[in-house]
Amino acid sequence: LVALYDSGGVWNAVFSPNGTALLCGSEDGSAVLRSLADQSELARLQPADEAIRYVFFDPAGRPATADNKGRVQFYTVGGQPDGPLLAVTASDVNTWRDRFHFSADGARFVAVLADGGAQVYSLPEGNQIGPVQAPGHTLLRVRLAPDGNFLGVCGEFGAQLLNVESAAPRLTVETSPVRLMAFSDDGATLATVGLRDGLLRFRHGSSGALLCDPVAIYSPYECRFRTGGKSVVIATPDRATVLETSTGRPAGAAMLHASHVVNMDTDPSG
């Protein structure tokens, strides 16, 4: 066991996309990128004036931090700020990933706003793209389609697909409350999970047509497509289950856990 951080309590940590480094964010407002090979410090990100609540990498491999005030800052690999501070609704550590998302190429970034709705930005410039999406709505999750042209939003109002450039609705996916939504990596399939009924639905990404019967999920908190879009991983308090998108049936045995699961992820191979 090797200590990789030397200052303050660590709220969050994440591996670099190539798996060679670990980025840690601290309550003292700093973040450090360290080599996993020899624990050397590769970069110390510019200290913030608030605790770092979440750290992550964008698809291009740039490190980023989100602080207690809901501000996101991207950095060069060398640790220098890259682009302006972007506003995101402040969140608990385990729900930050609901508050923002990237297009597949990393050129667009969407963030939930504190006063309702969401804003899409270009990266690395940080320029706003189009008007505020779903203004006035409290959004539980936002997800950009892989091509970055459409935005999926969900909450008490249900789930919709919006045009990023105009914010005009493209498709009403659900009218009952929705907690989770996700796109397959080719955008051909959309998954939603009901907020109250816990029903997982697989839909055609363009028409919204159901691909199979809904699947009842107990207390779901995460839904991720595996690479290729043929199956998803659903996380619940005591297990992670892989389900086929065409049938809704389990693709193998559930991965059981002895205690409450607070986070899950898949490797790049799916």
Side-chain angles (χ1 to χ4, degrees), residues 86-196:
L86 302 179
V88 183
T89 301
S91 168
D92 293 333
V93 172
N94 293 321
T95 56
W96 264 110
R97 66 178 60 203
D98 295 328
R99 303 298 195 261
F100 58 80
H101 196 237
F102 297 94
S103 58
D105 61 4
R108 291 184 171 185
F109 172 79
V110 61
V112 173
L113 303 176
D115 55 357
Q119 181 65 59
V120 180
Y121 302 91
S122 64
L123 292 179
E125 303 87 0
N127 296 328
Q128 294 182 2
I129 300 176
V132 173
Q133 309 278 328
H137 285 291
T138 298
L139 304 179
L140 297 180
R141 173 166 282 202
V142 289
R143 286 296 179 263
L144 279 166
D147 63 8
N149 292 324
F150 297 98
L151 174 67
V153 295
C154 65
E156 290 280 355
F157 58 89
Q160 290 184 325
L161 297 185
L162 307 174
N163 185 295
V164 166
E165 300 286 347
S166 66
R170 172 176 177 256
L171 180 68
T172 297
V173 181
E174 303 273 359
T175 55
S176 57
V178 172
R179 167 67 183 88
L180 302 172
M181 66 187 313
F183 287 99
S184 59
D185 51 11
D186 60 1
T189 307
L190 176 68
T192 61
V193 180
L195 176 63
R196 296 191 176 87

Side-chain angles (χ1 to χ4, degrees), residues 47-60:
D49 56 5
E50 292 287 331
I52 300 298
R53 287 287 184 166
Y54 196 73
V55 291
F56 56 100
F57 289 87
D58 73 1

